[in-house]
Amino acid sequence: MLDLKKIRADFPILKRQVNGKPLVYFDNAATSQTPQQVIDVIVDYYSNYNANIHRGVHTLSQEATDKYEAARHTIQKHFNAAHAHEIIYTSGTTHSINLVASGFSSLLQKGDEIIVSALEHHSNIVPWQMLCEKTGAILKVIPMNQDGELVMTEYDKLLNENTKLVFVNHISNALGTINPIEEIIEKAHQVGAAVLIDGAQACPHVKPDVQALDVDFYVASAHKMCGPTGVGMLYGKETWLNKLPPYQGGGEMIAEVSFTKTTYAGLPHKFEAGTPNICGGIAFGAAIDYMNAIGFDAIAKYEHELLEYATKALLEIEGLKIYGTAKNKTSVVSFNLEGIHPYDVGTILDKLGIAVRTGHHCAQPIMEYFKIPGTVRASFAFYNTKEEIDTLVSGVKKAKMMLS
Ligand code: C6P
């Protein structure tokens, strides 16, 4: 059981009013809110030991370096990576995916095949299309069904000896579908393909074990799991990270530089050119500690309750259709009111203090599949309540009345 009162007290933003109403924050899939424990870490960094890392002999620099590297270990432990140097700090999921895509441009050949899924966010589509343009590789797509589930029999048909890479999200941002990534990884490995799992939407809800999954790359953003924006991570198996060339050149990623030749630093620094988001990395570690203290089993169980409660109550509204009805799904409800544009519903909800996301959610192919311009997406976190869902349901009813 979660102590909701105590948890909500950790999030100062939940006390604010929006348009004269108490904030109901249901845009957690876009970005989660930040607990005081993480805010304190950010303030402490800038108040007490702001310095560049890995460079200075002075005390502040050493303190900052120690905390930044300690956070890397926290991330390593959380994802159960075998080594801390398999965790690369990035600015977020998008950066992590682009780093891998760019690296593979020197490893792929014309006619190689890459598989993505119909449920991907644009950031797990566009970099691979760019990679295909550069290399002559071919992009193939695992289709989805009306419930928003991947059609796994079609995946089986797509796999062959030309398949070099498979990229699938762990959880769909637009529909909440939890994809069968264990099966996807195992089958890809049977044909010798590497797998990248986009965990941006999974990490706020589950604790992935990269070694148990035997995944080659796993990526996530801190800001979706109670951390700050502008920082994230790439997990890569050591063997793969050693094969990939550096993504950017610059300071910190080198062993030695001269005008005739540069040699690169080892992992993880080879992929971490320039001054990183030091405070962000430290706060990412604090966010992981915060979420683990609450407990991912308890989070998943409670969020499932919220999902079931919201689904039932929303479906009682005549003319409301939910997109994404997979058996295995997380706390995201994407819906539309018949004949009403999602943007209009979102605007009225905002007037009532309720924050939801409207539009295509950076997943246009999903919208195209359902032949809709977008949806209203309410995404719940462990600090949300059933009372807030009641407020959403009455807000949607009000919007329907005003817009019909
Ligand atoms: N989805 C959403 O509202 P960044 O922006 O790099 O932190 O994450 C990109 C990203 C990648 N994959 C998935 C599955 C995602 O959901 C996101 C971000 C947000 O759904 C903002 S578009």
Side-chain angles (χ1 to χ4, degrees), residues 27 29-31 91-97 119-124 169-174 198-202 220-224 230-231 357 361-362 377:
D27 196 16
T31 200
S91 67
T93 301
T94 306
H95 176 186
S96 304
I97 295 172
L119 285 172
E120 297 314 305
H121 184 277
H122 296 165
S123 68
N124 210 21
N169 59 37
H170 192 162
I171 293 181
S172 152
N173 71 316
D198 170 354
Q201 293 295 339
S221 298
H223 72 92
K224 299 213 198 272
V231 65
R357 184 168 174 190
H361 315 300
C362 301
R377 184 187 69 181

